[in-house]
Amino acid sequence: MIINKSEIAGLLDNLVKEYRVYAPVQKDGIVTFEQINEGTQAKPGATSKKPPKEILFPQSEELFNYQVDSQGLRMEDKIDDTKSVAFGVRPCDAKSMMLLDNVFHNDEYEDVYYTTRRKNTLIISVGCNQPASTCFCTSVGSSPFDTDGSDVLLTDIGDSYLAEAITEQGKEFLCKLNLPASDDQAKTKAEETKKQAQLTSEVDTTGIKEKLDDMFDHPYWESLYEKCLGCGACTYLCPTCHCFDIADEAKDCAGCRVRNWDSCMFPLFTLHGSGHNPRTSGKERWRQRAMHKFNYFVERYNASACVGCGRCIKNCPVNLDIRQVIADIKAQDTGSEVS
Amino acid sequence: MQKLTKEIQDTAKKLLEENKVDLVVGFAKGSLPLRSTPYFARTAEQAEELVWNQFCENNLANYLKKREEKVAVVAKGCDIRAIVALIKENQINRDNLYIIGVTCQGMIDRNKADELVNGKEILETETNGEEIVLKGKDLEQKAKVEELLYDTCTRCAYGNPVIYDELIGEEQPAKEPNFEDIEKFEALSAEERAQYLAKEMEKCIRCYACRNACPMCYCDTCFVDESTPQWISKRANSAKDNLIFQGVRVFHQLGRCADCGACERACPMGINLSLLTRKGVKDVKETYGYEAGLNPDDKPVLSDFETDDPQPFLMKE
Ligand code: SF4
Ligand code: SF4
Ligand code: SF4
Ligand code: SF4
């Protein structure tokens, strides 16, 4: 199907009546994924500074409220089942949602807060005609027009988008919009567009999981973290990082349990109540970041917990580049090479 | 710049070869255009990776605290102000530090460059003295280096290092500190100021890059991380709590902040943090005639007391 670019704002205006709609919005020079009230606010095709994972897994979210009074204890769950649409998601960010699904809904555990939002949110992605120089999605199992995690994929073919339904929900959604069908010309144009989208950045990740299997005590970690400030820029802006911390905010007999993003780069992350900290320095913290993304996650879910979006590369205050980390890991001698 | 790079490399190599130091902290070429990256050279060979250019934006004083070994640092004016302040606070042992001072004309603000090219991606740059060319796909934009400098740099009066063991680069013309930005903000009504700050603080994601990039922020446990009592909410979506975080940080920096701008440069959300830090710098200067990190021999201003110190916060004078 075809959506004319000039009709996008009107289409979103209609969606806003029925759904909570999120889209990339430019404010003060920064693009963020936000709830919009009007179609003209949206800037489809822009990559947000903060990834849209927060639509499903907000940076701070109230899980439940509680109150104790003469009638006893009362609790109120804050499960959010509002029908939502995320419009203009990048394919890497959509892919990251699929990876997050593994964490929040698996054999052992279901996170009802996340899964309820996930079930009620349609993901409309826009493929990347011009990947940035920091994008390396094709090196980590994704691509500029990857359909994983999306319900609908839009391809920018000039004055319009070609819309493809990826899931059943996506199909139903598109049907409701009454869009004109795509002709052969548009389809050919979309194919060409997909083909010409070239990445300039590549890093070889083959065998990195096996390499890391033998690297827990490797001296490489001694030098990797040296310039790192131990901030949360890389983890908070990463679409696949998902660690969180629980805090109770209470006053007298009423309170609220809040879940906040946490970062493995903070010393507090593993600080025990006893005062003991098993990860005493940046060395153990960076090792954890690398291991979690390219070893533990691969072992558990058969995919790396990095989709190659490049946000951590662009936003690290000291220019610690994860592509270099991957290349360095690959180049280390672990003494058990078969080559 | 190439000449400075060569001189820095030669000095570093010599220091390492003669075992005068175990480590040289400086900058190496970054992986992105408009970036250099902090670098730790421990051998003469590694010293060849050192560079100097107008992308050396981080404050390297941050890496010098509580070091046991003998260290040399490649430091620009504001790094050295922080070093001086940290020596006074017993965080750096001057006897173990060799300062390779570099005179500084200012560092380039990558956000300003991005703004200038209006959403296009800069892939390469070429500097010819006063001019820089920003290049990319369908992009070749010339700009004056001066126009792309960080605001903290254009207002800085201390491009010439205040202490050093060796000085590299030509002496920079003397300048007066300039607080026009703060004066402008002070002239706004309380409501307008509150509004502006609320708008800035809404952007904060509590990544603490600002705090961690700051050479003068080194409390074992920052008050924001304490949980008993929990001084402020851990929620990032609370602009009020974000402002308390920055406000307390600024109070803790009074008379200590080196006005280096490292906090603002580190902020991934582009928050105007120097507005707050520089208000503190200006107030301390006006009240006590003191600027941090300029004189290795004086006492930190808030650790000192004179009977005739002005006390406008206690009573109206
Ligand atoms: S963003 Fe950079 S400095 Fe901050 S924790 Fe990540 S790697 Fe370290
Ligand atoms: S690790 Fe970096 S490049 Fe990979 S998904 Fe996270 S932010 Fe993107
Ligand atoms: S508060 Fe900011 S400007 Fe002041 S010393 Fe710290 S990093 Fe530099
Ligand atoms: S660096 Fe910026 S976003 Fe991060 S905590 Fe500081 S002010 Fe907030």
Side-chain angles (χ1 to χ4, degrees), chain A residues 92 95-96 99 136-137 139-142 203 205 238-241 289 292-294 297-298 303-310 312-313 322-323 326:
Chain A
C92 56
K95 170 105 184 179
S96 79
L99 298 175
F136 61 105
C137 53
S139 305
V140 279
S142 185
V203 35
T205 55
C238 174
T240 51
C241 278
R289 179 164 161 78
H292 193 184
K293 291 205 173 293
F294 301 109
F297 205 89
V298 184
S304 71
C306 168
V307 291
C309 74
C312 59
I313 303 169
I322 197 155
R323 292 170 299 183
I326 296 171

Side-chain angles (χ1 to χ4, degrees), chain B residues 204-210 245-246 267-269 271 273:
Chain B
C204 176
I205 57 167
R206 290 279 194 97
C207 66
Y208 302 126
C210 49
F245 160 48
Q246 289 303 339
C267 176
M269 305 311 281
I271 299 174
L273 295 173

Side-chain angles (χ1 to χ4, degrees), chain A residues 23 78 91 93 124 131 140 158-159 186 197 203 237 254 274 276 280 291 306 309:
Chain A
K78 301 264 248 178
D93 290 337
I124 318 288
V140 279
D159 295 332
V203 35
L237 298 177
S274 65
H276 171 67
T280 42
M291 283 286 190
C306 168
C309 74

Side-chain angles (χ1 to χ4, degrees), chain B residues 137-170:
Chain B
K137 198 169 168 259
D138 309 318
L139 171 73
E140 187 155 337
Q141 170 89 44
K142 281 190 191 143
K144 280 209 176 110
V145 168
E146 206 188 325
E147 282 161 16
L148 292 185
L149 294 182
Y150 279 106
D151 288 343
T152 35
C153 295
T154 56
R155 298 186 183 116
C156 164
Y158 304 104
N160 293 311
V162 288
I163 59 166
Y164 50 83
D165 296 296
E166 181 165 343
L167 188 66
I168 288 178
E170 279 166 37

Side-chain angles (χ1 to χ4, degrees), chain A residues 57-87:
Chain A
F57 171 46
Q59 177 158 17
S60 296
E61 93 178 280
E62 293 183 2
L63 302 179
F64 56 82
N65 290 329
Y66 52 88
Q67 194 170 2
V68 187
D69 53 26
S70 53
Q71 272 121 54
L73 170 74
R74 268 182 292 155
M75 282 188 16
E76 188 201 344
D77 246 326
K78 301 264 248 178
I79 293 171
D80 178 2
D81 60 0
T82 318
K83 292 258 172 252
S84 307
V85 171
F87 186 89

